[in-house]
Amino acid sequence: MSASHDTGGSSNIAQGVDSRRAALTVLDAVLRHGKSVDAATGRAFRHLKRADDRGLAAAIVGEVLRRLPDYDRLIDSATKNPLPDDAKARMVLRMALAQALALNTPHHAAISTALPLLAGGPKRLAHGVFGTLSRGNATLPDIPTLPEPIAARWSAAWGDAMVASAAKAIAAPPPLDLTLAKPEETEAMAAALEGTSLLPGHVRRERAAVTTLPGYADGQWWVQDIAASLPARLLGPGEGRTALDLCAAPGGKTLQLAAQGWTVTALDRAESRLARLSENLARTGLSAELVTADALQWAAPAEAYDAILVDAPCSATGIFRRHPDVLYRASPRVIAECAEIQAAMLDRASRWLKPGGTLVYAVCSLETAEGEAVARAFLESHPAFAIAPIDEVALPAGLAVAPEGWLRILPGQLADPGGSDGFFIVRFRHS
């Protein structure tokens, strides 16, 4: 990404500083206050009128979070006394290095727009550290370093090979996955979109402005990581039967279920996110009943459902390639709190399912506490339910069903080099 609009004079530098200040605000919210990038961006970016300024600020945030341990290692190599982790000067240096080493910003522009953020602070120190690293031709490793707490936890759960695959996966944003409303058109849509398909009803292509791609305006597809598309696929054709999609927004799985012929009720507590789902339903010509409610407070429906999909709230560590901020927010406390909510949500959902019905539980998490442990506890406390093993024929190449019959998706498993999000998916049957 070029930062040339920062170098044309004092007014342009001031404009460039605004983008960096917005990025600094978001990073502070994530790393010091535990907020998500999405939650922090709206307020922080509200004064940025130009799309390229917003894009630059977002790119800086993403690159800092993607390689934060590597930037810190460089900074520490150029300082006699290490800067505190939460020091503003460290954060500003991270941003300047991300621009210079990852975003192809000229070094002078990266530092000239960084120093004003340290008004009243250690500008000389920051300038000296940046200059030392620039003169030394500092570089980043080909494979990023994961945050130590994450690497240790994942190594203990999945082994060092998984950690190495995760580090490779976070090096760059993933490709664009699209789910098609009509799987029978897969070959034609893959050609039109200049992509490839890993499953019927799926197209993968290079990242691009979504709204400009063929088929967007007339609702032929929606954006959805291939791993995220699997839970709804496992419910199969609806043939008019009823399905409940809990925590449905932003709605990819609701759209899938509707396209598969289910009569869908989509429930989510966020009215604004359901509004987005409503827009996607209108764009695709699909239909679903939308309910704004908390799944843990919602009154029991009048009639039980033939199928229920519980895409539960989770730590979201499985989507770290697209949202690296999750690596700094998914503490053991957050994971434990999520697991408690997931267990309660599964328990409530089990009461709303018809005998003989199917319940799919899914989380975009790489934590066993939110996947395997929740599934085992549910089976122990709900003897009327049993696992309906997943058929590997329904999966893209490289993914394998566990001996228990559920699916655990880890970095490095998908045969395609574009990879996928991390997921845990299990299908239960009500006797």
Side-chain angles (χ1 to χ4, degrees):
M1 177 179 293
S2 171
S4 60
H5 64 275
D6 295 335
T7 62
S10 59
S11 62
N12 283 336
I13 289 177
Q15 181 177 316
V17 171
D18 288 341
S19 296
R20 276 68 173 189
R21 183 172 287 110
L24 178 63
T25 300
V26 173
L27 288 167
D28 184 71
V30 171
L31 297 174
R32 291 211 303 131
H33 302 289
K35 295 183 179 296
S36 70
V37 166
D38 288 345
T41 294
R43 182 176 180 83
F45 287 13
R46 69 188 186 281
H47 298 307
L48 300 179
K49 304 304 182 185
R50 291 172 36 161
D52 59 341
D53 289 333
R54 294 191 297 273
L56 176 59
I60 293 170
V61 169
E63 289 302 328
V64 168
L65 294 174
R66 209 172 292 282
R67 291 178 172 271
L68 189 143
D70 297 318
Y71 295 125
D72 280 349
R73 187 171 292 111
L74 289 174
I75 293 167
D76 291 341
S77 73
T79 55
K80 179 182 294 186
N81 299 312
L83 294 167
D85 287 345
D86 61 351
K88 191 174 185 181
R90 180 181 288 276
M91 190 74 79
V92 169
L93 279 166
R94 290 165 174 165
M95 292 169 51
L97 290 170
Q99 294 166 73
L101 302 182
L103 297 177
N104 299 321
T105 302
H107 286 220
H108 66 88
I111 192 61
S112 67
T113 52
L115 294 179
L117 302 176
L118 291 172
K123 288 185 179 181
R124 182 174 295 181
L125 170 66
H127 193 278
V129 171
F130 187 85
T132 296
L133 294 172
S134 295
R135 290 189 297 274
N137 296 316
T139 59
L140 294 168
D142 292 337
I143 299 176
T145 304
L146 294 178
E148 179 55 35
I150 288 286
R153 189 168 72 229
W154 288 355
S155 178
W158 309 115
D160 292 342
M162 178 275 199
V163 174
S165 293
K168 289 177 63 177
I170 202 175
L176 190 65
D177 280 343
L178 310 175
T179 297
L180 308 183
K182 297 179 179 180
E184 64 272 18
E185 298 179 356
T186 299
E187 186 176 350
M189 287 304 301
L193 290 160
E194 300 179 335
T196 59
S197 178
L198 306 184
L199 278 178
H202 165 268
V203 173
R204 170 167 287 182
R205 57 151 292 141
E206 293 181 359
R207 297 175 68 84
V210 170
T211 57
T212 66
L213 295 177
Y216 173 82
D218 49 1
Q220 296 183 58
W221 50 261
W222 51 91
V223 176
Q224 186 178 35
D225 187 85
I226 191 168
S229 75
L230 297 177
R233 287 175 180 267
L234 296 179
L235 289 175
E239 299 172 337
R241 291 174 295 163
T242 58
L244 173 64
D245 184 6
L246 290 180
C247 307
K253 297 174 181 66
T254 294
L255 297 174
Q256 282 182 276
L257 293 172
Q260 290 167 202
W262 292 90
T263 301
V264 187
T265 299
L267 182 144
D268 198 281
R269 68 180 183 179
E271 189 171 357
S272 60
R273 285 162 57 86
L274 280 177
R276 183 175 163 193
L277 171 52
S278 180
E279 293 171 358
N280 280 323
L281 286 168
R283 180 174 63 85
T284 57
L286 298 168
S287 62
E289 178 188 0
L290 305 187
V291 177
T292 304
D294 186 328
L296 297 179
Q297 303 294 328
W298 189 45
E303 294 185 11
Y305 293 92
D306 294 298
I308 300 179
L309 175 54
V310 181
D311 184 11
C314 68
S315 65
T317 49
I319 62 173
F320 70 96
R321 302 177 306 156
R322 287 178 287 116
H323 298 280
D325 55 306
V326 300
L327 300 180
Y328 300 94
R329 297 187 292 109
S331 66
R333 177 184 61 80
V334 167
I335 292 168
E337 290 173 353
C338 287
E340 185 176 344
I341 292 171
Q342 292 151 11
M345 195 169 290
L346 265 179
D347 176 65
R348 287 182 66 81
S350 70
R351 308 173 200 175
W352 304 333
L353 189 68
K354 292 179 181 178
T358 302
L359 171 62
V360 171
Y361 169 71
V363 284
C364 56
S365 169
L366 290 165
E367 316 302 329
T368 58
E370 297 180 276
E372 291 82 351
V374 170
R376 290 191 177 101
F378 176 77
L379 288 171
E380 290 178 2
S381 58
H382 296 78
F385 285 79
I387 291 178
I390 296 169
D391 187 348
E392 287 188 4
V393 174
L395 305 178
L399 301 186
V401 177
E404 294 87 348
W406 56 51
L407 178 64
R408 164 56 74 182
I409 306 176
L410 299 173
Q413 287 184 335
L414 193 71
D416 187 86
S420 74
D421 286 347
F423 252 86
F424 175 82
I425 308 168
V426 60
R427 182 172 58 185
F428 300 109
R429 195 86 70 197
H430 190 334
S431 61

